[in-house]
Amino acid sequence: MTRPSSPVSRPSSLPVKRHGFLLVVSAPSGAGKTTLCRYLIDIFPEIRQSVSFTTREIRPGEIEGRDYHFIGAERFQQMVDAGDFAEWAEVHGNRYGTSRHVLAESLQAGEDILLDIDCQGAAQLKRTVDSAVFVFILPPSLAELEKRLRGRGTDSEEVIERRLVNARREIVEAHWYDYLVVNADIEQAAEQLKSIVLAERCRAARFTQPPASWYGLSGPNK
Ligand code: 5GP
């Protein structure tokens, strides 16, 4: 059997259009979220990545507008007051928010959009965006998470301890997400994430017209 090389799941000759969706990915620090999100964008380069606004300092290697929009606390508050954020939260002492305008624009254009945000922000979107899909990436164990955080060799003991406390708090939130991906093996976790995107793209409710109309048949109500 020959396998299709493209992940597209329906014949391209059909005049099929679908609505975009938000793919919200959360994980405790050290679970592998950044690597998995990069993998996803490599396979599906058409997925747009939401660039958040943040009050935290820019880190070496980060680029304004690519990694984040780095803004001051005052500007952030103005945006909160103006209702510019679809969600926002304070994480590790800094504020982060997602532009309402960018999300609306992407969904309108039928694009899928990836949001790498914390549980507090995800919970806000769960209440307000019907089409969103929520994925939580879990470490195989707390011991393994600690090992990974220490293995990075970049953070102080205090930072590691804080991340572990936060990780416990975040894992407690994981139960309401739509999908759980345990990152014990990065390739397997990446395959699972890819499968989630493929399945979600096939959801009947996401198509703008009923299948009958794709074939020129009269619809179910006629
Ligand atoms: P970092 O500062 O290490 O890039 O991100 C810290 C945490 O903030 C991560 O868990 C990340 O998912 C979360 N985060 C990034 N952008 C947003 C956002 O727009 N909203 C929320 N709620 N969390 C975000």
Side-chain angles (χ1 to χ4, degrees):
M1 194 178 91
T2 53
R3 294 169 60 187
S5 56
S6 146
V8 175
S9 55
R10 52 185 183 271
S12 57
S13 56
L14 286 172
V16 177
K17 281 207 188 122
R18 65 168 179 84
H19 300 290
F21 62 90
L22 301 186
L23 182 68
V24 179
V25 179
S26 304
S29 177
K33 180 176 57 172
T34 308
T35 311
L36 286 168
C37 286
R38 278 207 199 111
Y39 168 91
L40 206 59
I41 296 296
D42 273 355
I43 315 184
F44 304 111
E46 72 284 5
I47 295 183
R48 183 160 169 184
Q49 262 188 294
S50 166
V51 180
S52 298
F53 288 78
T54 184
T55 59
R56 94 149 152 70
E57 293 289 315
I58 190 165
R59 292 179 189 141
E62 285 185 329
I63 295 176
E64 157 63 34
R66 183 196 69 181
D67 298 291
Y68 284 104
H69 299 291
F70 296 93
I71 58 172
E74 203 173 315
R75 175 81 191 109
F76 195 98
Q77 187 56 46
Q78 281 169 359
M79 291 181 75
V80 170
D81 294 341
D84 288 342
F85 293 126
E87 64 74 33
W88 69 271
E90 191 167 317
V91 187
H92 308 145
N94 295 299
R95 292 168 126 194
Y96 297 82
T98 303
S99 160
R100 182 185 300 285
H101 171 72
V102 171
L103 290 195
E105 195 186 72
S106 290
L107 292 180
Q108 200 111 45
E111 291 176 327
D112 301 325
I113 179 159
L114 174 64
L115 278 77
D116 165 347
I117 63 173
D118 89 316
C119 300
Q120 306 169 74
Q124 292 169 46
L125 295 178
K126 178 90 174 168
R127 290 192 291 271
T128 53
V129 185
D130 287 342
S131 67
V133 179
F134 296 86
V135 180
F136 197 98
I137 297 168
L138 288 154
S141 67
L142 287 174
E144 175 62 24
L145 186 73
E146 183 167 354
K147 200 171 125 199
R148 288 182 192 171
L149 286 174
R150 292 194 188 286
R152 285 175 175 181
T154 49
D155 302 311
S156 66
E157 183 60 28
E158 190 196 332
V159 169
I160 293 172
E161 288 299 329
R162 190 166 1 117
R163 294 213 162 134
L164 287 169
V165 169
N166 284 337
R168 287 189 168 81
R169 209 175 289 145
E170 283 162 328
I171 289 170
V172 169
E173 286 295 311
H175 65 96
W176 59 258
Y177 278 69
D178 298 314
Y179 295 95
L180 302 176
V181 171
V182 177
N183 182 14
D185 172 85
I186 191 82
E187 280 182 14
Q188 207 179 347
E191 271 303 297
Q192 290 178 352
L193 208 48
K194 175 180 161 189
S195 305
I196 292 167
V197 171
L198 292 177
E200 287 294 335
R201 284 183 170 180
C202 295
R203 245 182 215 286
R206 302 213 191 280
F207 293 96
T208 56
Q209 292 180 335
S213 71
W214 308 349
Y215 302 92
L217 304 171
S218 55
N221 298 325
K222 288 183 186 162

